[in-house]
Amino acid sequence: FPFLFLFKTKTTKLNIYAKNERLYLFHETRKKNSSVYIFEGNGDAVTANLAGLTNASAICGVNINEHHFNLCRRHGIYDVIICLDADEAGLSKAKSILDDILKNIHDIRIRFIFLPEKTVVIDGEPKLLKTDPDEFIRNNGLDAFLAAAKDDELSAKAAIIREQLENPESLKNLIIFYS
């Protein structure tokens, strides 16, 4: 085995697939549309695409970052709609997008869709469960998904996020919240 240590190895980083820089189904989205719906899960994007939303893509990594917006910009897409769950995690992710990413991005219009929570009775007690976009589209259809963007109750949640920003006036024209 000592002969194995005699060889120097050089590794090069190949840019074949960088998970945190790609959007699932983006190769189809970029051909047809001037806007893109970005979902958290690949299954959500596939379901939306099969339902007729041809500009649906998904985050391939853990979190959306500046590389994703640069990818959209390179392909002439300046309208991004991000679909997040209406739970605490979704709201905090939206806040982190606003705080971190939008400091450097000023030419892309970003909107959010927060899906409503559903009430389920378990053991005689009503409990709120988050609604997955895949499930929501399958059960209610694409029109109901797009109509969920106009729900006034969730607009209040978007307003809370906007109030938490240090300088909301600077982002007022850039970001329009769907909820």
Side-chain angles (χ1 to χ4, degrees):
F1 292 101
F3 66 91
L4 293 177
F5 296 107
L6 297 175
F7 301 103
K8 291 184 178 179
T9 60
K10 288 188 175 181
T11 59
T12 58
K13 183 178 177 182
L14 299 175
N15 195 14
I16 295 173
Y17 182 76
K19 185 176 183 178
N20 290 330
E21 298 177 13
R22 302 289 184 252
L23 291 171
Y24 183 69
L25 292 178
F26 189 75
H27 65 287
E28 294 295 326
T29 298
R30 69 183 177 155
K31 295 175 190 175
K32 302 174 186 170
N33 301 290
S34 62
S35 65
V36 61
Y37 284 81
I38 299 178
F39 292 89
E40 287 182 283
N42 295 354
D44 301 333
V46 169
T47 301
N49 200 305
L50 291 174
L53 190 65
T54 59
N55 53 342
S57 294
I59 305 166
C60 293
V62 177
N63 203 353
I64 193 165
N65 58 42
E66 194 171 333
H67 295 291
H68 295 113
F69 293 112
N70 289 334
L71 177 68
C72 293
R73 186 184 293 137
R74 279 195 306 268
H75 293 285
I77 298 174
Y78 294 97
D79 188 20
V80 176
I81 302 103
I82 301 172
C83 180
L84 300 171
D85 297 326
D87 58 0
E88 189 66 33
L91 294 173
S92 66
K93 187 179 283 192
K95 186 180 180 316
S96 71
I97 290 170
L98 294 174
D99 288 342
D100 300 334
I101 297 171
L102 292 179
K103 290 178 184 174
N104 300 325
I105 296 179
H106 303 290
D107 59 344
I108 295 180
R109 179 180 177 194
I110 297 177
R111 297 180 277 169
F112 292 91
I113 294 178
F114 295 98
L115 290 178
E117 296 174 335
K118 63 181 177 180
T119 305
V120 177
V121 178
I122 300 174
D123 296 330
E125 294 182 29
K127 297 193 179 203
L128 289 175
L129 298 176
K130 70 176 188 171
T131 304
D132 186 54
D134 173 54
E135 177 186 354
F136 189 86
I137 293 171
R138 287 178 192 261
N139 293 339
N140 305 311
L142 183 62
D143 293 333
F145 171 76
L146 296 174
K150 296 176 175 74
D151 188 1
D152 291 335
E153 176 188 340
L154 296 174
S155 295
K157 290 185 180 182
I160 291 169
I161 293 172
R162 183 172 284 178
E163 286 175 11
Q164 292 175 351
L165 293 173
E166 292 177 14
N167 189 4
E169 290 301 318
S170 65
L171 300 173
K172 190 173 187 177
N173 295 327
L174 176 67
I175 302 161
I176 297 174
F177 287 92
Y178 274 163
S179 33

